[in-house]
Amino acid sequence: MTHRPISSVDALMGLLTGCAGVWDTPDRSGDPVNILDHGLQVAALLAASRPDDEETQAAGLVHDIGHHLVPGDEAGHGTHAATAVEGLLGPRVARLVALHIPAKRYLAATEPGLALSPESARTLGCQGGPMSPAEAAAFAAGPDFAAALALRRADDAGKVVGLRVRPLESWRPVLERVAASHARAGSGGC
């Protein structure tokens, strides 16, 4: 399934606002927070751990919008979200969004006793299971390895019911800066 790319920060903010009533599973049997709360928590954790990397923070905010775009596609939700935001937020943000599932597979393969939420543990199988040693080595050598792992760790931690974090509107300037940086890069930096 394909989606129209998100064309503006206003449109993205509208989509994120709509995620307040959307859960990672259509029947709400998955994670205990909705997609908006989850994204806000992940972005807040990334702002604390990677304060100078607004692209990774933006990726954390939007990484699960694929659940809203294509409900029920657990294996593909990262790709759906990446495709939707790439034109607006750039290839690095899209790559990080897409990598949040492979990063889970990497950590499952390389960290014995990795603590995943019950829903993340359940979906690991339909997402390919733990990586093989060859897959893990290739992933570790790929671009943005450290940022992808930071996003994944924040993803696993950002599922706290009732946690108070910055409101969505406070992320608008970050999204605007990331979008403007991508637009400048696309126009040759002029």
Side-chain angles (χ1 to χ4, degrees), residues 158-183:
K159 301 175 181 182
V160 179
V161 175
L163 183 66
R164 295 181 61 101
V165 294
R166 291 170 43 183
L168 176 59
E169 192 58 35
S170 74
W171 288 98
R172 181 183 292 274
V174 172
L175 294 173
E176 288 173 344
R177 285 190 296 272
V178 171
S181 176
H182 170 60

Side-chain angles (χ1 to χ4, degrees), residues 35-119:
I35 299 302
L36 176 60
D37 286 344
H38 176 57
L40 290 170
Q41 289 182 35
V42 172
L45 289 165
L46 289 166
S49 68
R50 300 180 69 87
D52 298 326
D53 188 351
E54 289 189 332
E55 288 181 328
T56 300
Q57 295 167 33
L61 183 63
V62 304
H63 77 282
D64 269 354
I65 64 171
H67 288 298
H68 187 36
L69 299 171
V70 184
D73 186 359
E74 187 57 50
H77 78 274
T79 302
H80 298 306
T83 300
V85 301
E86 183 170 16
L88 178 64
L89 300 178
R92 181 168 183 259
V93 172
R95 181 172 51 251
L96 290 169
V97 168
L99 288 176
H100 84 274
I101 294 169
K104 175 170 70 170
R105 295 183 59 227
Y106 173 86
L107 290 171
T110 60
E111 291 190 5
L114 175 68
L116 294 172
S117 72
E119 181 65 6

Side-chain angles (χ1 to χ4, degrees), residues 131-157:
M131 287 182 171
S132 69
E135 288 174 317
F139 181 78
D144 289 314
F145 171 70
L149 290 187
L151 192 157
R152 181 70 232 176
R153 291 184 193 288
D155 186 3
D156 290 329

